[in-house]
Amino acid sequence: MFLYRYFIQPQLNKFTNSLVGYEMLIRKYDDEHWRLPQNFAAIPVDEQIGLLKKTAHRIGLKVGSISFNLNRRQFIDPHMEEALIDVQREIFPVKLIIEVTEEESDQLVPEDKLLMSAKRYTASGVQLSLDDVGSGCNTYEHIKLLLPYANEIKFAMQNFRNANLEFKIVEQLRFWKKIANQYHIRLVVEGTETAKEDQLLDDLNLPYRQGYFYGKPHLVKLE
């Protein structure tokens, strides 16, 4: 049997020099190493939720929010939805933020089901974050139906670096900053790795950051 645990990575407000939350990243212990699971959907919901609660109680008093990743299929799963709303009740006043990610198979998820789940989550105090905006198929057109329910959008600089599209980062950041302002939501920039990138975000007046430059993911001790 594999052992799963959450690693956490800090999210900062650079301009107030404050820790605002942690993103929780599930890892599997395999062959004496912690690795990214091959198939997140194969991890039982109850196991993920039980581990989420233990980890959240361990770190929750230190931060205002914890973020948890779901793809669109998991997002509309009634069992997952009910369990996460229960987690939010348990960890209040800490905010639970669901980061909605995008996978190839998510194209088949009906829009009406997405919206129904988004409404139920937000009505229960769970916040929504749209992950990897501007990357892959996460264009404005593709995510705009969820924007009225979102509290946050996340822009991943590493996606642009990996695709050799660094020259697009500034233009894209300006565009998504405009969208964030229009919807009155946070724009979190992740994948910040160098002092040069940190300075770029200062110049663009973007306070919310995440990346190796500020802190790498680390294992939460539950014992």
Side-chain angles (χ1 to χ4, degrees):
M1 183 177 172
F2 292 117
L3 175 67
Y4 294 99
R5 290 284 286 278
Y6 279 107
F7 281 58
I8 58 173
Q9 186 172 27
Q11 298 175 332
L12 312 173
N13 181 328
K14 170 75 184 297
F15 299 155
T16 60
N17 194 29
S18 58
L19 174 68
V20 294
Y22 287 112
E23 179 176 0
M24 303 178 71
L25 304 157
I26 200 161
R27 296 291 183 264
K28 179 175 74 175
Y29 196 68
D30 184 15
D31 194 24
E32 298 186 10
H33 293 283
W34 290 105
R35 306 179 192 276
L36 197 67
Q38 291 286 313
N39 182 4
F40 290 93
I43 308 170
V45 171
D46 293 337
E47 189 165 346
Q48 289 189 62
I49 296 300
L51 187 56
L52 173 63
K53 284 182 179 179
K54 284 181 191 169
T55 310
H57 284 302
R58 185 78 177 175
I59 64 171
L61 294 176
K62 302 175 185 174
V63 289
S65 68
I66 55 171
S67 301
F68 177 80
N69 289 273
L70 294 181
N71 62 34
R72 289 186 172 207
R73 282 168 302 134
Q74 294 169 317
F75 184 74
I76 65 168
D77 180 308
H79 186 188
M80 181 68 84
E81 188 182 304
E82 186 182 331
L84 287 174
I85 288 170
D86 184 53
V87 171
Q88 177 59 86
R89 287 192 201 103
E90 265 200 38
I91 66 172
F92 183 84
V94 177
K95 297 183 192 76
L96 177 64
I97 303 174
I98 296 174
E99 294 193 17
V100 187
T101 64
E102 189 68 49
E103 293 178 6
E104 211 59 48
S105 58
D106 287 344
Q107 304 302 314
L108 304 172
V109 175
E111 289 188 350
D112 60 331
K113 287 197 171 182
L114 270 178
L115 290 174
M116 282 168 57
S117 290
K119 288 174 184 176
R120 284 194 291 263
Y121 277 122
T122 54
S124 301
V126 178
Q127 294 200 357
L128 301 186
S129 173
L130 305 180
D131 206 11
D132 294 341
V133 295
S135 300
C137 54
N138 270 3
T139 60
Y140 172 69
E141 287 301 317
H142 188 61
I143 67 162
K144 69 179 180 182
L145 81 158
L146 287 174
L147 279 167
Y149 304 97
N151 303 88
E152 169 183 293
I153 52 179
K154 290 189 82 175
F155 181 92
M157 286 203 284
Q158 70 271 22
N159 292 352
F160 287 81
R161 280 196 301 268
N162 295 342
N164 293 316
L165 295 172
E166 290 100 327
F167 64 94
K168 287 191 170 184
I169 286 177
V170 172
E171 167 203 336
Q172 282 286 303
L173 281 171
R174 286 190 173 128
F175 171 77
W176 289 107
K177 181 183 179 183
K178 185 175 148 193
I179 297 299
N181 289 341
Q182 182 183 332
Y183 285 89
H184 307 290
I185 57 180
R186 299 181 296 274
L187 170 57
V188 179
V189 183
E190 58 181 339
T192 316
E193 294 186 355
T194 65
K196 183 179 177 183
E197 289 172 345
D198 180 59
Q199 184 59 53
L200 169 67
L201 300 181
D202 284 353
D203 296 342
L204 291 171
N205 197 31
L206 295 170
Y208 296 106
R209 326 248 176 114
Q210 182 180 340
Y212 282 13
F213 186 72
Y214 313 108
K216 293 185 179 181
H218 62 276
L219 179 66
V220 179
K221 291 182 179 176
L222 298 178
E223 295 76 31

